[in-house]
Amino acid sequence: MERWFAERSVGELLPGDHAWFSYADREEQEHVVGAFLHDGLAGSDKVIYITDAGSGDLPDLRSRYRLDPEAYLRSGQLAILPQAETCLTGGVFDPARMSATLQEVLDRAETERFRGVRVTVDMTWAFHQKRGRDGVLECEARVDAAISPSTMAMAICQVDARSCTPEELTALKERHEVLVGADPYFDDGILSITPTFRPRGLRLSGELDGARHAVFAESLQKVIDHGGDVHLDLAELRFVDLGALSMMAGAAMHLGSRVILDHPSAHLADIVELVSSRLLPWLEIGDGEAR
């Protein structure tokens, strides 16, 4: 039986959500965890980051959001908790200690009059500790028991997908009922444009018409600036006009790389196949798994 998950963008997370997030590179982590931290600090939440990194190694709040993490550290709204003090006993990963630390944080936050509490921890390192996967899964069960009943706390458990086996990723994913991803670049109820990272590109949902060419061009440029092929996931795109297709082809022409249309409708695929040899030669139909 397939496990049911709620999929939310980071801006849609709710109190009680214990979310799972795997990332493939720093950029993807910045988009999701950076937004999680920013939304909490800007919204008067207590923000807890369990890591061995210093504030300078956190997602870049300065350039992306113009927030100074040092100021929030001084005020106490942001707390960076070392793994050694929260997760280890005698140098060994201790799920019970981590859950006890988390419960202390939640209890203390209730008396500090913050609007809510946000907790994030990167669990990648723990897979390489004694007990490895079993310890991580026990820890996740304990975190879920602390977060899920809460009316003010939410958590993101991170893992670097490059450092875990597919079996480890699946086991960790199944300990969560919420999967979190990046916020859309744009969403007006008619068209939604969301960045994807595996493969790199955009996911388009709804209708892309002439009134939304400008926001599409702006979003497309953000992806193009990174170089390489651009994937556009069109599985949920109901309508696209020829002008937008021409923009995609023009972007590919100037980029010198491919713009690949993944999961287009049969009708759209037929149009691209029909006119691509003459008008849209830089567009390709693909089958990539954007997320």
Side-chain angles (χ1 to χ4, degrees):
M1 180 177 179
E2 186 176 352
R3 175 74 184 270
W4 178 88
F5 300 97
E7 296 188 23
R8 308 198 217 284
S9 69
V10 64
E12 296 174 331
L13 288 178
L14 303 170
D17 280 348
H18 171 217
W20 180 81
F21 169 59
S22 68
Y23 59 89
D25 55 30
R26 177 75 173 185
E27 181 194 5
E28 186 174 11
Q29 187 185 34
E30 291 265 357
H31 268 81
V32 174
V33 179
F36 184 70
L37 300 178
H38 164 264
D39 292 351
L41 296 174
S44 301
D45 288 347
K46 178 79 172 185
V47 178
I48 309 294
Y49 203 129
I50 300 175
T51 178
D52 276 346
S55 60
D57 292 324
L58 298 182
D60 190 356
L61 298 177
R62 294 180 188 274
S63 62
R64 187 181 293 271
Y65 300 109
R66 298 186 180 181
L67 292 181
D68 178 9
E70 298 296 338
Y72 291 98
L73 286 168
R74 289 193 295 270
S75 72
Q77 187 181 351
L78 172 63
I80 300 176
L81 304 183
Q83 291 168 350
E85 297 179 9
T86 58
C87 307
L88 303 180
T89 298
V92 177
F93 180 43
D94 184 350
R97 181 174 186 182
M98 181 172 171
S99 63
T101 300
L102 177 58
Q103 192 60 58
E104 290 175 7
V105 167
L106 298 179
D107 292 343
R108 189 163 57 248
E110 290 185 2
T111 67
E112 293 175 329
R113 299 185 180 180
F114 288 105
R115 183 192 67 173
V117 183
R118 294 175 180 240
V119 180
T120 186
V121 55
D122 193 326
M123 298 299 297
T124 308
W125 63 276
F127 279 100
H128 308 294
Q129 295 286 310
K130 186 177 180 180
R131 294 183 63 208
R133 188 178 84 167
D134 291 341
V136 172
L137 297 183
E138 178 187 343
C139 181
E140 291 296 343
R142 290 173 175 270
V143 171
D144 192 68
I147 296 294
S148 293
S150 177
T151 60
M152 65 181 299
M154 61 182 72
I156 294 180
C157 292
Q158 312 171 47
V159 63
D160 187 336
R162 299 164 295 185
S163 301
C164 301
T165 67
E167 292 76 17
E168 288 172 338
L169 290 173
T170 297
L172 184 55
K173 178 180 179 181
E174 290 179 347
R175 282 296 192 274
H176 302 80
E177 293 187 352
V178 177
L179 309 183
V180 64
D183 285 330
Y185 283 145
F186 175 82
D187 189 346
D188 67 350
I190 296 176
L191 174 68
S192 176
I193 306 174
T194 305
T196 61
F197 304 92
R198 290 172 270 173
R200 183 185 301 282
L202 300 170
R203 182 169 60 250
L204 307 178
S205 303
E207 301 178 7
L208 175 49
D209 55 20
R212 291 160 183 82
H213 282 182
V215 293
F216 172 62
E218 181 180 350
S219 299
L220 185 59
Q221 189 62 49
K222 291 179 181 179
V223 182
I224 289 172
D225 286 344
H226 287 280
D229 293 342
V230 173
H231 284 255
L232 300 178
D233 182 354
L234 308 183
E236 299 177 5
L237 190 68
R238 299 186 300 272
F239 170 80
V240 58
D241 64 9
L242 188 58
L245 288 175
S246 296
M247 292 171 63
M248 297 175 192
M253 179 177 65
H254 294 295
L255 181 62
S257 299
R258 301 177 300 165
V259 171
I260 302 166
L261 309 184
D262 291 327
H263 316 302
S265 67
H267 176 66
L268 177 57
D270 287 343
I271 292 175
V272 173
E273 294 288 353
L274 178 65
V275 302
S276 62
S277 61
R278 294 184 297 110
L279 301 178
L280 307 173
W282 297 277
L283 295 182
E284 297 184 19
I285 301 296
D287 58 2
E289 294 295 330
R291 61 178 290 277

